[in-house]
Amino acid sequence: MAGDFMPESEAPKAPEIHNFKCMQCGTTIEVHVPGQSLTFACGACGSIVQEDNTGQRILTQASQLNRYKPLFTLGSKVTFRGFKWQIIGFMVRSDAEESYFWREYLLFNPYEGYRFLMEADGHWNFMFVTKKQPSNASLNVKWGGRRYRRFYIGNARVRYVLGEFYWRVKVGDSAAVQDFIAPPDILSSEKDEGESEITWTAGIYIPADDIQKAFNLIGTMPQQTGVAPNQPSKFYAKRNSLLLHWLSFVILLIAFQLIRGAGATKKVYDQVLIRDSKLTTELLKTQSFQVEKDGRNMELKLRAPLTNTWLGLSGKIVPEDGQGQVISFQRELASYDVGDDDSPLRETSVELFFPKLPKGHYHFEFQLDRDPALLPNGGRWEAGTNTLEVLATLDPPLQSNLIICLILISIYPLFYLLRDFGFENSRWSTSNQMSGG
Amino acid sequence: MANISCPGCGAQLVLQSPATIFVVCSYCRSTLIRDQDWTVYGKMANLPAEITPLQIGTQGSFKGEGFELIGRQRLQWANGYWTEWCANFPKGKTAWLAEAQGLLMISFPTPLPDEAKQWGELKAGAYLKMGNATFMIDDVKTARCIGSEGELPFTALSNKEITSIDASNPAGAFLSLELVPATGERRAYVGEYVEFKDLHLKNLRKLDGW
């Protein structure tokens, strides 16, 4: 039986200790993952020891200039996202210009393997190595059924290491990195200087609160600033449902207006009157029309085609049944290719609104005045078509009410979209890929 | 299953796989190679310490088929270590469960791809065809056996040198080729990365603190 090959496993042994003494300062360096860790950095003097390819431990860097403090005790264990993890390594990296620093913690579980916990500007990502390669590393990549957008291309340079790592690492090591985002997910590629192999890691944005709750911090939580590349937008999460609600309201509103308008709106007068353009003043009197019920609103649209001239309009609504008052109004229409402010002026139509007309018969009278200073052109004051279009409608749909309603129901969604836009702007402001929005 | 008596110490060893030609005696650590009979080829040193929940006798299943780990070889290359566990399936089928850098891979023997018949041509970035699938070579590395235990279908004496070629495709499948320069042996395996939980492993090694 298989048991014949494992007599050792029957008697439990004392835990093996794999620690060794730092070749530089003699302090004990703990080894948590023997047989896999290749780099060990002394917590006391900062020396870096690496295993060579025969398994010998060699002092590689005798000290480290800069020292940084991890937020968690190395070697401690934590339960996070369903598994127990031992925090075994801490690394500080920066871009090539040293303008941007971030921190990475290496987590180990003998059943699950390794994870990386990254912190930059107080924002956290939990990442794992994946061997599933994305479609192709250009501006957009597809991975695991999602589309990721390239956010950053740059270099990552090691500034400080502490603890143990399963690869060889020392201060100054540089890697070419690319970040792709599909918030809250992130996908990163890394290629060490002088190596051909590309390592892909995938991860997810972790709210700082989750870290605070799960981990034992030995320092203060770093202040969160800006928007992280893959930070999920709380605005975006609600955007689609909000737009859908808004659209439903708009459709309802328009449908309501259409139904109400179709039922009551009635054209009572629709004629094209002919003007006599040889005259400087002229009176036009229309045929009569009827308002069948009391208290109806009337909209009157007037339009006259004009070319480089004006037309004075003194109008009257004249009741014919002896009762009620004459309603007067005055307007001026004008059309000039070059207006007062050097731009064309086109005011050749006017809309008037008369509320609550008593029932009865009416007609319109229009007193037209032309520019007396204008010399008659071939005996005419105006060029072109000499018409006055008159259209009177009872109980027109109240466009202004509709517009007010639209504005009211759009305030909140608009505010929301602006917030969302602002969030995405802040996100992409730290990208060097210029593909924001 | 076959019973053999260790020529080194006389212990009774039960072999799980008919394909086994190499055994490390679990009592005296003699390395035995099957020729006409079983011959002692020396002693295997204790394997260097490592943290792994796998051990000989660990049982699991992959895609509904049960297996048991019956042997392993541990390898070292320029940038670290990996372990190849021999997984014995029913009817003499053998697979390999590899543990490297916290990742698990399972692979099955496959005929050599045509391109792999010319080893010298194989470099990182080159392509290998396996049926309809195309694999790109990720790396070509030299590794050394630093220890073995249990039973294996090939010899795995300490310091045996191999050339290991890893190729993968975007779907996450991988093809690995193994050449033993000293003997001219060439083997190809095709497989995939697996999650620990997906193998339904039991009879695992107990780990202190975990």
Side-chain angles (χ1 to χ4, degrees):
Chain A
M1 295 305 291
D4 291 347
F5 289 109
M6 32 175 254
E8 312 98 306
S9 69
E10 275 144 33
K13 285 183 293 185
E16 286 179 81
I17 305 294
H18 311 285
N19 301 345
F20 66 98
K21 292 229 183 307
C22 173
M23 294 80 157
Q24 181 72 11
C25 73
T27 306
T28 298
I29 295 178
E30 290 188 359
V31 179
H32 300 104
V33 194
Q36 291 198 64
S37 292
L38 292 185
T39 301
F40 309 89
C42 176
C45 70
S47 293
I48 296 174
V49 176
Q50 291 182 355
E51 273 192 25
D52 71 3
N53 52 17
T54 66
Q56 289 297 307
R57 285 176 182 153
I58 311 286
L59 184 68
T60 307
Q61 262 173 357
S63 66
Q64 294 185 64
L65 208 60
N66 299 306
R67 304 298 289 270
Y68 298 87
K69 277 206 162 66
L71 273 177
F72 321 116
T73 308
L74 295 197
S76 69
K77 287 178 183 148
V78 61
T79 300
F80 186 66
R81 301 276 149 139
F83 295 101
K84 195 194 238 185
W85 302 100
Q86 187 165 33
I87 305 156
I88 61 168
F90 171 63
M91 182 156 79
V92 178
R93 293 208 283 176
S94 79
D95 60 353
E97 292 78 31
E98 291 194 57
S99 60
Y100 186 66
F101 284 71
W102 66 93
R103 289 142 293 276
E104 307 182 359
Y105 297 87
L106 180 63
L107 275 48
F108 173 75
N109 171 302
Y111 308 94
E112 296 299 314
Y114 295 96
R115 293 292 183 278
F116 300 88
L117 186 65
M118 329 269 271
E119 181 270 310
D121 291 335
H123 295 277
W124 297 83
N125 276 315
F126 192 51
M127 324 249 322
F128 60 92
V129 168
T130 177
K131 294 289 177 175
K132 208 164 60 182
Q133 296 157 18
S135 53
N136 62 326
S138 59
L139 214 57
N140 291 308
V141 297
K142 271 193 98 168
W143 188 84
R146 292 196 75 188
R147 200 175 68 104
Y148 287 73
R149 297 176 70 183
R150 190 161 67 190
F151 189 86
Y152 180 80
I153 299 182
N155 273 279
R157 204 173 274 274
V158 176
R159 298 296 169 190
Y160 179 67
V161 289
L162 183 66
E164 59 186 284
F165 301 86
Y166 64 85
W167 65 96
R168 292 203 188 89
V169 58
K170 60 183 191 303
V171 172
D173 283 356
S174 178
V177 295
Q178 292 194 31
D179 289 334
F180 301 83
I181 59 156
D185 297 331
I186 188 163
L187 189 64
S188 299
S189 77
E190 195 160 312
K191 194 164 95 62
D192 285 345
E193 218 165 48
E195 297 279 334
S196 62
E197 203 172 357
I198 294 172
T199 304
W200 287 92
T201 51
I204 188 165
Y205 184 86
I206 305 288
D209 274 359
D210 292 11
I211 301 293
Q212 184 99 49
K213 276 177 205 146
F215 288 73
N216 277 321
L217 269 69
I218 49 172
T220 47
M221 197 71 174
Q223 183 76 34
Q224 206 168 76
T225 57
V227 172
N230 60 322
Q231 186 176 353
S233 156
K234 61 184 175 200
F235 308 109
Y236 184 78
K238 282 197 202 159
R239 191 164 78 177
N240 286 351
S241 101
L242 196 69
L243 280 177
L244 204 69
H245 278 97
W246 178 81
L247 202 66
S248 316
F249 270 120
V250 169
I251 289 168
L252 266 174
L253 200 63
I254 290 170
F256 180 71
Q257 280 283 339
L258 283 178
I259 291 161
R260 211 182 66 96
T265 302
K266 190 186 171 196
K267 268 185 215 171
V268 286
Y269 195 89
D270 186 3
Q271 292 288 318
V272 178
L273 309 177
I274 306 298
R275 296 180 282 129
D276 187 343
S277 55
K278 291 190 190 112
L279 303 172
T280 47
T281 65
E282 176 188 12
L283 181 71
L284 292 176
K285 200 172 152 184
T286 74
Q287 292 163 319
S288 69
F289 61 90
Q290 196 186 356
V291 177
E292 286 158 339
K293 273 191 271 179
D294 274 336
R296 300 196 71 176
N297 302 320
M298 187 177 75
E299 182 190 70
L300 176 63
K301 286 186 187 171
L302 300 169
R303 197 176 88 87
L306 301 168
T307 310
N308 287 321
T309 185
W310 55 261
L311 182 70
L313 245 170
S314 300
K316 281 179 188 161
I317 302 171
V318 185
E320 294 176 339
D321 301 338
Q323 81 282 37
Q325 285 182 311
V326 173
I327 303 166
S328 303
F329 54 90
Q330 295 217 331
R331 289 289 186 278
E332 191 178 278
L333 303 181
S335 174
Y336 288 95
D337 291 340
V338 182
D340 288 342
D341 56 355
D342 286 350
S343 59
L345 173 75
R346 302 274 181 251
E347 286 173 8
T348 58
S349 70
V350 64
E351 284 178 25
L352 300 127
F353 188 76
F354 305 98
K356 297 197 164 89
L357 292 181
K359 73 173 181 184
H361 290 84
Y362 296 86
H363 69 263
F364 297 115
E365 285 180 17
F366 301 111
Q367 174 75 49
L368 306 181
D369 295 297
R370 293 188 178 78
D371 185 355
L374 205 71
L375 277 173
N377 177 11
R380 295 161 67 96
W381 262 264
E382 293 174 32
T385 326
N386 299 306
T387 56
L388 180 67
E389 295 161 26
V390 183
L391 173 64
T393 313
L394 290 182
D395 288 342
L398 291 179
Q399 303 294 348
S400 56
N401 286 3
L402 179 71
I403 286 162
I404 289 166
C405 281
L406 275 177
I407 289 170
L408 282 177
I409 67 167
S410 302
I411 289 173
Y412 186 63
L414 206 63
F415 171 74
Y416 217 82
L417 283 182
L418 282 174
R419 292 286 296 270
D420 185 32
F421 184 72
F423 189 88
E424 291 305 318
N425 255 356
S426 322
R427 179 203 303 290
W428 287 96
S429 68
T430 58
S431 165
N432 61 5
Q433 291 302 293
M434 304 297 170
S435 61
Chain B
M1 271 187 237
N3 276 292
I4 64 164
S5 171
C6 172
C9 68
Q12 286 295 304
L13 306 175
V14 182
L15 303 186
Q16 303 289 313
S17 166
T20 296
I21 64 152
F22 177 87
V23 174
V24 179
C25 173
S26 53
Y27 296 91
C28 68
R29 306 204 64 80
S30 293
T31 49
L32 316 178
I33 296 176
R34 185 166 70 188
D35 199 355
Q36 299 291 358
D37 209 342
W38 290 93
T39 313
V40 177
Y41 269 77
K43 291 247 183 207
M44 179 62 67
N46 280 323
L47 283 168
E50 65 178 307
I51 290 193
T52 172
L54 304 180
Q55 63 181 355
I56 287 169
T58 292
Q59 291 162 340
S61 69
F62 180 70
K63 293 184 175 163
E65 250 191 309
F67 64 81
E68 180 174 329
L69 303 183
I70 59 170
R72 66 159 158 166
Q73 64 170 345
R74 182 132 170 94
L75 297 142
Q76 182 178 42
W77 66 295
N79 287 323
Y81 304 89
W82 82 92
T83 302
E84 290 175 353
W85 293 90
C86 182
N88 189 38
F89 281 82
K91 295 176 204 148
K93 189 168 92 170
T94 300
W96 293 90
L97 185 60
E99 270 185 298
Q101 305 190 320
L103 298 171
L104 283 174
M105 294 140 265
I106 194 161
S107 62
F108 296 85
T110 185
L112 280 175
D114 286 342
E115 297 90 337
K117 288 167 185 161
Q118 309 280 319
W119 286 96
E121 303 296 309
L122 300 176
K123 278 187 274 195
Y127 290 93
L128 296 170
K129 267 203 148 71
M130 281 288 298
N132 292 328
T134 304
F135 294 83
M136 196 182 84
I137 296 178
D138 298 320
D139 59 18
V140 178
K141 54 191 181 243
T142 299
R144 186 172 64 89
C145 175
I146 56 166
S148 53
E149 72 180 313
E151 55 180 287
L152 294 169
F154 49 69
T155 62
L157 293 166
S158 281
N159 292 319
K160 176 188 76 169
E161 214 173 79
I162 62 160
T163 301
S164 171
I165 297 172
D166 288 334
S168 62
N169 71 10
F174 75 87
L175 177 67
S176 86
L177 306 172
E178 210 165 276
L179 166 72
V180 186
T183 60
E185 290 168 87
R186 291 167 189 185
R187 291 183 282 265
Y189 305 93
V190 67
E192 60 192 88
Y193 286 84
V194 282
E195 298 280 324
F196 187 84
K197 64 171 168 26
D198 295 338
L199 293 173
H200 315 287
L201 297 167
K202 52 183 199 270
N203 193 21
L204 291 164
R205 187 154 76 107
K206 186 123 182 55
L207 297 171
D208 288 318
W210 295 96

